[in-house]
Each structure stands twice: as structure tokens, then as C-alpha cells.
Amino acid sequence: MILETIIMVIYSVALILILMYALAQLNLLFNYLRSKKNQEVCETFDFSNSDEIPYVTIQLPVYNEMYVMERLLDNIATLEYPIDKLEIQVLDDSTDESLETTATQISSLKKRGLDIQHITRKDRSGFKAGALKEGLKTANGEYIAIFDADFLPKKDWLKKTILYFKNPEIGVVQTRWGHINRDYSILTKVQAFALDAHFTLEQVGRNSEGHFINFNGTAGVWRKECILDAGNWEGDTLTEDLDLSYRAQLKNWKFKYLEEVETPAELPVVISAARSQQFRWNKGGAENFQKMMGRVLKSDTISGKTKIHSLLHLLNSTMFLNIFLVAVLSIPMLWIKNEYEHLKMYFVVMSFFVISTVIFFVCYWFMFKNIYGGGIKKFLRYTGMFFTFFSIAMGFSFHNTIAVIEGHIGKKSEFVRTPKFNINNLKDKWKGNKYLKKNISINVIFEGLLMLYFAFGMYSAFIVGDQGGDFGLFPFHLMLFIGFGFVFFKSLTSKV
């Protein structure tokens, strides 16, 4: 009974932590809905007065972006902003032929009158954080706009964002990500679904109540003074954006999130690219929890509620560990339930925790409705998308759990960039992309075994007990079987 007790304790603790996270999401939903009724009016710069228009530096940190560099630079060149108040830094750490083609395009843009510099380094120390820090040494702008290689800001983007820095307390203005290839595949739809939840429910829900949010690494603007005051970019975590965001807010800088300003970008279309991105984000989140937890708890300038939301924010990625534990232990729990009759009341209580899924379902519906509109057809579409998202997210849980554990124990790894494809519509193809990995990760094998494990879980529903089976966990195991099967077979066919 010792082993059964250990399993039950771990399972129960994981369920409780998931419920706590769900309740925090519900609180963010209430904040989000309140924010729609209380629209803030901000003082802005007068763009009719040349002396008042701020000087802006645009930083474009890139590394081996052969497929999207031309698109990126062409797009940035169309931004509507006084040319004498704008400089562009291409922070290029590339080691392939894109370095030369980028230099040629930059030379052409200079002839059109743009103040654009091609800044290269001999080594990639600090990776993206190191490149941003290097560029900051010579940046002339009071404000630093940052775009990753796959982002395509609209022409009026700078005018819509710089306005808010009239308030001297604002250190960052962050915009909402859009998705130029949202409907390319199930994989891109699921990624868009998850990102939309973050960029509506979470960012607005936190920002509207003065809780800490994060600069998302791109599609935002920093006040240069804020970066320097917070200690500048540091490359000791894989999510340098989250790190600097927390250091800045602990210094009492305010962040402004603009849900209404969308910045389109390209989602990874191949599962190997999505895997590397997920690994970096989840490991970086755990690293930042370890780095920032003490500073947040010791701060005497933020409220207790903000501290709670901050810790849960930093623990976002750790939810994958809890989900994975619940998933793996759910099959032994099924057998324990039908073996020990005296534990019946415990399992009745445990069934209450399905409320976590209900909370997520309700919260994400408001996000979905805000983007696509309401109505019964949209609700049915949402329901299908929600369970597809949940299944595939659980299929990533083993991969992301490894990332989270590595982050918490302090294991260091390289910043692995997400390869871009220049995918704009369903006709565009990704095969032949030179940046894709060709080897199959050992993790994929384990994901295949987990798929079979949850097939056994479904089979167990028919054979446990004396009353013709127990199907309470069958839908859960079916979703896990589908999720791990999707990740496994997609990883094989995409040649991870």
C-alpha cells in the first residue's frame, strides 16, 4: 500500500496545483472583462510638432534567416515615421550565405535614404540577448523597437505605439501577435489558439490590474533608459525577454499592453520547429522562476496579489510537469480505484477537479469569441478547437516537462532559434528548408511509447472492476492517446 499511497499523494498534489492555476486564469478572465468597461485614456505625443517626435531605433536581431530576411527588411522600410527620427540596426549573427545577401539589401536601402546599419559579431555570446546588448551600445534612439525576423508590423505601427511613452513611467509598450499562416495546418491552428489566449486573457488580465506582464521578445518598444536602469540584457536564461521584464517592473517601471494593435507573424509549420520553440520558452520560464522568485517575494513595492500572479506567471511552464504527472499516474489510479473499495470517497472528491477543465473551457471561450465572434456555429467550432488544442498540448507534455526540469535544476543549453519558412498561405511549401534538423530525437521514441501506454489506459477501462468496466477516465486517455500519437507521427514524418 506504500506505493499506492505515494501515487495518490503525487496525483492529488498535481491536481491541486492545476486547479490553483485554473482559478488564477479565472481571475484573469474577470480582470479582462472589467478592462473592457474601463478603457484608459493616455496623454500622447503631438506628431504635428517635429520637436516632440521621439527618436526611435529599430533593432532586428537575426541569425541565419535566409528565407525571410528580404521580406523583413522590405516591410520595415515601409514603416511611416519621420526619416530623420529613425534608425534601423540589423543585428546579424548569421554564419551562412544570408549574411552576404542581407548586406547587399541593406546597401540598397541606404541608397533610398534609410539610416540602417548592419551590425555583426565575431561570436554569438549571449545569443539574442548579447546581440541586443551590443546594438544598444551605439543605438541613438530614446526608444528601442524590436522585431524578430518573421514579424511584419503594419505601416502605422510606430505611430500607434510610441504615443504612450508620453507617460514617463512607461518603460515598455507591447503589442498583440497576429498569425499570417494561422489556418495552414492543425499544428498552426493549435499554436495560434494558445498564443491568442496569452495575448488576450493573460496579458490584458494582468496589465489592467497592474500585475507584472512580460515583453514578448518582439513586436514591442522599450524606453532605452528602462533597459539600462533594469540592468540591461542578460543571456543567462533562454527567455531574456521575461527576465528583463521582471527586473524592469521590480524597478517600478510600468508596462503598457496594446491588445488593439496587432503585429502579424509566421507560426512554425513543422513540428520540429514548434518543438524547439516550446522547449526554449518552457525551459526559460522555469529558469526565470528560479532567478526571480526570491526578488519577487522580497519586494516591498508590489502587492501580495501581484506577487501571487507573478509567481504563477513564472510557473506557467511548470504546469506541463503537473499535467504530465496526472496523465501518467491516471492509469495506476484507475486500478487503485477499483482495487480498494474503502477509497471510494477519496475518488468522489478527486472527481471534483474536473472543474479545472471547465474553467479553462470558459476562459478560452471568451478569448475565442473576442477574436471570431459568438453564435452557436462559432461555439461548436470553438469546442472542437478547444479539445484539439488540449489533446495536442498534452501530447507535448513529455517534451515540455524535460524542458521545465532542466530549467529548474539549472542545466544550461544553447539558445536554439526557431527556423522560419516564409509561409504565407496554403500553397507555400517548407520541404527543403536547410535549417531543419534531420535527426530523430530520443524523446520521439518515448512519445510513441506513451501513445501505446494511453491506449492501454483506454483498454483498462473495459476490464477493471466487477461491474463491466470504469469509463470515467476514458475521454482523458483518448485525448492523451490522440495527442501523443499526433506528436509522435508528425515528428517522424517531418524528420525531426
Side-chain angles (χ1 to χ4, degrees), residues 193-244:
F193 187 90
L195 287 169
D196 288 343
H198 170 69
F199 280 99
T200 54
L201 178 70
E202 294 183 348
Q203 290 288 63
V204 176
R206 293 189 183 108
N207 194 225
S208 63
E209 294 295 313
H211 303 320
F212 285 11
I213 65 168
N214 59 297
F215 168 66
N216 294 103
T218 177
V221 190
W222 283 84
R223 189 188 296 268
K224 185 178 180 181
E225 179 190 353
C226 174
I227 297 176
L228 298 175
D229 183 52
N232 215 326
W233 296 102
E234 295 179 358
D236 57 342
T237 73
L238 292 179
T239 46
E240 73 295 322
D241 44 6
L242 180 60
D243 171 28
L244 185 58

Side-chain angles (χ1 to χ4, degrees), residues 180-181 184 422-429:
I180 59 178
N181 60 331
Y184 186 84
N422 197 9
I423 297 291
N424 297 291
N425 56 60
L426 296 176
K427 294 180 181 179
D428 292 330
K429 303 298 181 184

Side-chain angles (χ1 to χ4, degrees), residues 98-154:
S98 67
L99 191 68
E100 185 175 340
T101 56
T102 296
T104 301
Q105 190 177 2
I106 288 173
S107 178
S108 175
L109 291 173
K110 280 183 177 179
K111 293 175 183 178
R112 290 167 48 183
L114 283 178
D115 181 4
I116 181 169
Q117 296 97 40
H118 194 194
I119 299 174
T120 60
R121 300 189 296 165
K122 292 181 180 179
D123 64 77
R124 289 184 70 207
S125 58
F127 304 106
K128 181 180 176 180
L132 293 168
K133 188 174 184 178
E134 183 69 24
L136 203 64
K137 293 177 182 178
T138 56
N140 294 312
E142 303 168 69
Y143 305 99
I144 313 295
I146 301 172
F147 298 103
D148 283 348
D150 55 323
F151 278 74
L152 301 171
K154 297 172 185 176

